Amino acid sequence: MTQPLSPARISIVLIAAMAFAAMAALSLTATARADLQLEEVSVSLNQPPLMKKELDLEFGSPTFFKEIDVPVLKSNGEFADPPFDRQAGGHPDLTVAFKVAAGADPWPAEAVHDLEVELPKGLFGDPTATPTCPISLLTTAGGASCPAETQVGVADLFTWSGKGGVGWRGVGVYNLAHGSDEPARFGFNYSKVVGLITAKVKPDQSGGYGISSGSFSISQAELVEKVKVTLWGVPADKSHDFLRQSPPQIQINAGGPNRPEDKQYWQHLKTEPAAFLTAPPRCSSEPLTFKVRGDSWENKGAFDEHVVNADEDGTPFQMEGCDRVPFNPSVGLKTQSHSTANPSGLAVDITVPQSKDAYAIASAHVRKVRMTFPEEVTLNAASAAGLGSCSPAQIGIGSNDAPTCPDSANLGSVSIETPLLDEVLTGDVYLAKQNDNPFNSMLALYIAVKGPGFWLKLPGKVDLDPHTGQITTTFDNNPQLPFENLHLELTGGPRAALSMPTSCGTYKAETELVSWASDTPVIEQLPIVVNEGCATGGFSPKLNAGTANSKAGAFSPFLLQLTRDSGEQNVASLRATLPEGLLAKLGGVELCSDAAAATGSCPASSQVGTVTVGAGSGPLPVYVPEPGKAPTAVYLAGPYKGAPYSMVVKVPAQAGPFDLGTVAVRNALQVDTTTAQVTAVSDPLPQILQGIPIAYRDVRVEVNRPDFTVNPTSCKEQKVTSVLTSVTGQTATPATSFRASGCKELGFKPKLKIAFKGQTHRSAHPALKATLTMPKGGANIGKAVVLLPETEFIDNAHISNPCTQVQFRAGDCPKSSILGTAKAYTPLLDKPLSGPVYFRSNGGARELPDLVADLNGAIHLTVVGFIDSVKTGPETARVRTRFLGVPDAPVSTFVLNMKGGDQGLIVNNTELCRTNPRAKVQLAGQNGKRSASNPPIKLDCGKSPRKR
């Protein structure tokens, strides 16, 4: 991740601030008229002064000669101006000069209050290039007593004395020890008046950092008309020896600063030269821009500002030679974990070598850092738990205010080593607020580092590939400041931000570093080694399911939980089959429409439950919904993918500071036409949301609508079974035991009535109507055996063209195979199930075809009866119909109507009205209880059945 860039910027900012502070000192005693006006404002970036060879006879011996360098003088006695140093990354001398406009008389009407100079970005000074002078030595009565090696430049001031006289005063500018709240401080002493210059780091809203320095609340003890301040690129260079000063300060009434002939004041330093000022290592068609501004004591806040982008000769400040600017960065990357599918912290080190040679071109500054992780290293969804975010107001980009980001938004730490400061700068990494950051992106980072007197705050963008989750982090347009090492560390632990690959191997991250000197990137491949926990990648999820109250026939919430160990393959789809008899009361529930189901925007009246999802790597997945977040819901919807009903699982993907929208997964609810068992078949589960992988670890579905889910009335041992599919196509079939309780406490008192319609004489074919009624709250029927009276036979002549199995499955049975109709009323549905009763072939498994009631409505069920003839005596036989696999479902009334007449299946073998025909009925409840009866057959015999 590119966050490491920021430390470098911090260092640069500090140095630049110090360098510019010295420039501001120039105006320390300037005076202005009523509305302060600055005139003759000029800036130059020059090579060190031109020198020539000269013989030195200072030892008094005519036979001893010494060749020395002295400044070049022009014919008018002024020093020759060196040319503009155009080399990017060079170390030029910087000179700033201006004049304060006079009033109506020689005495200015107003005095300078504040004077500030803003340096162009990339121009900085290194306060560690020279030793520092204690403030006590600067303020001595006879003038500054600072050691010569602490001098970083000179200030020439043209002043008005108290008696009206004028004259030049050349004084040294010294590097002072600075406090913890300022990056640099400079000072000079003239005529016992001490001038202090403070450096500032000034951020802007674009994320850039510039240096300014100035003198504020300037003393009015001396009135200055002209100021010229020069800061040396390399203070220890011998070309500055003739301007080094030691007490007493040299006072020259006219003719400029120290003259070459004043050799007795020359200071020859023995220290190793170090660069103090460095030009921006950037070449652009836009010239560098300096800003000089000031106000007066009389009109505070009314600033006169001048913008300078060329020297006195009109040469624009455009740097050249960027092809010569060195840039040799290196990047190191370490993950906290080397184990598969494990959360991991991360440490990134960016090193940019800085030359110690004062006369070498400085290294280019880092402009952009881009780090692209391998596709297998992704964000860990579990890191969102308890995580906060930092708003733009809290981070305060463009200000030096301390950030107020919450601790919960902290992702790690940053440290920066810069050649400009003796101390290591430290700070934090924060998560930016989603879609409310400088990039309007879902993910962004802030680096906030505390420096002396400033805060370095850098935004970085995090891009996620929406299909693979590949992470790319970019910090661009970084401050043009140098650093030697930037160390960024993302916190590790069970909620670390990154998730390691799911299989062992060596993966490659790619870093791309671009400097301000060139658009050519330095690309480096960084290995990420995963060599622990390699025996993973299997697929053994676990299933736990059941009802909260196991009492048979009772309404109870149903709960299903699916868990998966970290490191196993992710779940892609789910198929779960409930036990027989575990059903739901669908009547009275408003169904969610297809359009609403697609987005999960179903009405509350269709909600039947809730869902909880735990996702992420490691031992602590994040759970959705979190407290205070939008609730999840399970809704009942209509037909879907051939199933009569469906369920819509709605999960607002909200965790921590993230809102990834709403996930809606539809599940077809298939109903077995024979057993009425329900099987839920999910659509493919989302594997990635906006680039964040969803590693399902714990999925809990609770169907908890009141009086909705009802238990079986059978207490036999059953199972909730499942078929789970992984992302690679592997399957697992976890199951969990299920058993209802208290079945023996249920009653079982069914009532069956049978009536014949039509003619009752021998050889007639009566129509049959059977009506079964069940009392509320008892066990459901499991089996039914009905023997017709001995007066009835099966008429083989009417058995013609039964429906084949193939025709039945295709819904294309011939009309001649229809024996009648059936209708079932159940408290679980708003409307009864009804349909034809077929004579269906059984492929010869039995002597006669089967009687099949094909019930349709909200669901589709088939009830199969096996027809045969059983002997009840030596010479008697009775027609028997057995329903041996009745679904464990509550039925209040079941009505069977069989055709009579020409289409009748049964035939009378005697005159019915002369007998008292009775059926023999044996019914068994799902709880094992039995009921036996011999109900009379109701006949249409008129008032005198015997006579008839």
Side-chain angles (χ1 to χ4, degrees), residues 802-866:
C803 184
T804 66
Q805 294 278 352
V806 174
Q807 289 173 327
F808 187 84
R809 287 193 294 269
D812 191 27
C813 290
K815 289 184 178 181
S816 59
S817 66
I818 299 176
L819 300 178
T821 61
K823 182 175 289 188
Y825 296 83
T826 171
L828 301 184
L829 300 174
D830 289 326
K831 295 180 179 181
L833 302 179
S834 62
V837 177
Y838 294 102
F839 218 20
R840 189 184 71 181
S841 172
N842 53 45
R846 287 171 292 279
E847 181 179 354
L848 294 174
D850 299 331
L851 183 149
V852 180
D854 191 26
L855 302 175
N856 294 282
I859 61 174
H860 179 207
L861 289 177
T862 58
V863 181
V864 181
F866 307 125

Side-chain angles (χ1 to χ4, degrees), residues 133-146 188-189 192 194-196:
C133 175
I135 191 69
S136 59
L137 295 181
L138 180 71
T139 58
T140 54
S145 300
C146 294
F188 53 86
N189 185 331
K192 304 178 182 179
V194 175
L196 296 178

Side-chain angles (χ1 to χ4, degrees), residues 760 910-915 917 939-942 944-946 948:
T760 60
T910 187
E911 169 58 51
L912 299 183
C913 290
R914 295 184 182 276
T915 64
L939 302 172
D940 291 333
C941 293
S944 303
R946 297 296 178 185
R948 180 178 177 183

